[in-house]
Amino acid sequence: MNILVTGGAGYIGSHTCVALLEAGHSVIVADNLNNSKAETIDKIKQITNTEITFYQIDVTDETAVGAIFSQHEINGVIHFAGLKAVGESVEKPLEYYCNNLVSTMVLAKACQKYNVSRFVFSSSAAVYGDNTVPFVETMNLLPTTNPYGETKAMCERILTDIVKVNPAFSVSLLRYFNPVGAHESGLIGEAPNGIPNNLMPYVTQVAKGKLKKLKVFGNDYPTVDGTGVRDYIHVVDVAEGHVAALDHLMGGVHIYNLGTGRGTSVLELVSAFAEATEIKVPYEIADRRPGDIASCYADASKAKRELGWVAKRDIVAMCRDAWRFENKLL
Ligand code: NAD
Ligand code: WQD
């Protein structure tokens, strides 16, 4: 199939382009490079030895999106493009609502106009809010503590309402847990601007000597060792989940958690990193980070049952691959 990948130059999008190309699909990337670089497109070509078409456009621009749909026969859309920094979304709510909602609506409209019936959307475990773990797709969504999470819940609702009146429009809502790691080539991965907010890039930068010490945000949570528990998932497993979701689109809305189903605490991740790299990352216990929940992990059984997809790579592999990527960065 010929797949339009929005945000395909980004972290998860680039790995998904590789997985799609390896599965025999063709890829057209639309990205405004707001949080990524054009070189990533070359890296995708280098890894797969395959050509891809790249448009540097903003997917909130209806005319630019329409031009792509009119020039190419598109069989499906995977919509990654979006703003994703939770803290920034609190500071800039309007930017987040405009970017994440308008892009989704513009793409859905183009799909209707050009009879494209397959749509895969990047949602997030953030939509579960403070439900009880493990999070299951059938749970009622709870309000999140930030506009970012709200944009994901709203996009899910918009796409679901569209399907209600267009049952032939087939939508997969993929709720990712905590994607980490990098492609085993070390050519693509996550390179956040400035000081990282997320744990894994923080750990790799401490290990590299770019940052002094990890601050562990709280050790008094009701978890195995008091530190926060998350469902870290290798980004290549997430990418493969998209190929499986695309292959199984069958009309209607289908929601899947993309997680491993296993929780790992902050201190367990630090140990796994030491096992993978023989580097003991220095850390200190700090206050809890506002807005954090104690535990977040998936019930991943629906994706296994319906898509035949399971996450294959363990936490040590995630650390090893994240570290390899950090070492290849200039
Ligand atoms: P990313 O920032 O690396 O990738 C997003 C890409 O979209 C970037 O290349 C950016 O330049 C592009 N983009 C943003 N707005 C755009 C617009 N209006 N037009 C064109 N391009 C635009 O982020 P990522 O980690 O790869 O996340 C991809 C998607 O998955 C996002 O929607 C994000 O909210 C969602 N998600 C990410 C995580 C995570 O932890 N990384 C977890 C759950 C959900
Ligand atoms: C993981 C754990 C922290 C940094 C975020 C978004 C979520 C999703 C994925 C998009 C927590 C602890 C972290 C540090 C620490 N993104 N930590 N020291 O918060 O689970 O999820 O990314 O959809 O919406 O909120 O990920 O990597 O920031 O934190 O102790 O320097 O590591 O408290 O327990 P989080 P994270």
Side-chain angles (χ1 to χ4, degrees):
M1 287 190 277
N2 208 13
I3 308 301
L4 174 63
V5 182
T6 76
Y11 174 46
I12 306 173
S14 57
H15 289 82
T16 303
C17 287
V18 170
L20 287 166
L21 293 164
E22 284 173 346
H25 297 292
S26 302
V27 163
I28 298 161
V29 170
D31 197 306
N32 63 5
L33 303 183
N34 153 302
N35 195 35
S36 50
K37 295 190 179 128
E39 299 156 15
T40 301
I41 302 294
D42 297 328
K43 303 273 173 65
I44 298 168
K45 292 180 189 169
Q46 193 183 331
I47 292 168
T48 57
N49 204 16
T50 313
E51 273 309 308
I52 59 177
T53 309
F54 172 53
Y55 291 98
Q56 185 175 349
I57 61 146
D58 195 303
V59 291
T60 62
D61 178 342
E62 205 165 344
T63 310
V65 168
I68 296 178
F69 278 77
S70 65
Q71 281 167 46
H72 298 270
E73 196 184 316
I74 291 168
N75 308 110
V77 174
I78 307 185
H79 180 32
F80 292 103
L83 298 175
K84 64 159 183 176
V86 170
E88 187 185 59
S89 78
V90 178
E91 307 298 322
K92 300 177 178 171
L94 188 56
E95 244 177 71
Y96 272 69
Y97 285 113
C98 281
N99 194 63
N100 293 2
L101 269 62
V102 174
S103 60
T104 303
M105 291 187 283
V106 163
L107 288 161
K109 265 167 99 174
C111 285
Q112 296 213 320
K113 184 168 172 194
Y114 291 92
N115 290 317
V116 177
S117 62
R118 298 179 184 87
F119 197 99
V120 178
F121 177 68
S122 294
S123 189
S124 168
V127 299
Y128 289 111
D130 200 4
N131 264 297
T132 308
V133 285
F135 296 155
V136 190
E137 291 88 344
T138 47
M139 280 174 163
N140 286 329
L141 302 189
L142 294 181
T144 65
T145 51
N146 57 77
Y148 167 74
E150 293 304 317
T151 68
K152 293 297 175 188
M154 286 177 187
C155 287
E156 287 200 2
R157 220 169 309 142
I158 290 167
L159 291 166
T160 304
D161 285 344
I162 296 171
V163 171
K164 276 185 196 153
V165 289
N166 300 280
F169 190 47
S170 195
V171 174
S172 198
L173 305 173
L174 301 183
R175 295 177 179 162
Y176 319 148
F177 280 68
N178 287 58
V180 295
H183 190 263
E184 61 173 13
S185 64
L187 290 172
I188 53 173
E190 188 178 24
N193 293 324
I195 297 176
N197 293 312
N198 297 116
L199 181 62
M200 183 68 93
Y202 206 103
V203 166
T204 60
Q205 292 197 18
V206 172
K208 188 75 183 165
K210 291 180 181 170
L211 296 167
K212 250 183 146 170
K213 208 183 244 190
L214 171 69
K215 281 196 171 77
V216 176
F217 297 142
N219 68 347
D220 56 352
Y221 285 109
T223 61
V224 58
D225 55 20
T227 65
V229 163
R230 298 291 182 271
D231 188 340
Y232 299 97
I233 174 167
H234 198 296
V235 66
V236 175
D237 280 320
V238 174
E240 290 171 0
H242 287 73
V243 179
L246 192 67
D247 288 346
H248 285 79
L249 279 172
M250 51 201 149
V253 174
H254 301 273
I255 306 176
Y256 298 104
N257 286 338
L258 294 188
T260 64
R262 283 181 298 279
T264 302
S265 75
V266 176
L267 295 181
E268 285 171 339
L269 187 142
V270 169
S271 300
F273 190 82
E275 188 182 334
T277 66
E278 295 183 357
I279 299 173
K280 283 190 174 166
V281 167
Y283 67 85
E284 66 189 13
I285 306 298
D287 289 344
R288 288 182 178 195
R289 184 172 64 178
D292 271 357
I293 55 176
S295 294
C296 170
Y297 55 90
D299 176 328
S301 58
K302 186 179 176 199
K304 182 177 183 188
R305 207 167 50 243
E306 294 190 8
L307 305 178
W309 170 90
V310 284
K312 295 190 251 182
R313 296 155 182 91
D314 68 10
I315 190 75
V316 175
M318 297 178 216
C319 293
R320 187 192 58 224
D321 293 342
W323 179 233
R324 188 186 297 112
F325 178 70
E326 175 67 49
N327 278 305
K328 285 215 177 183
L329 282 176
L330 292 178

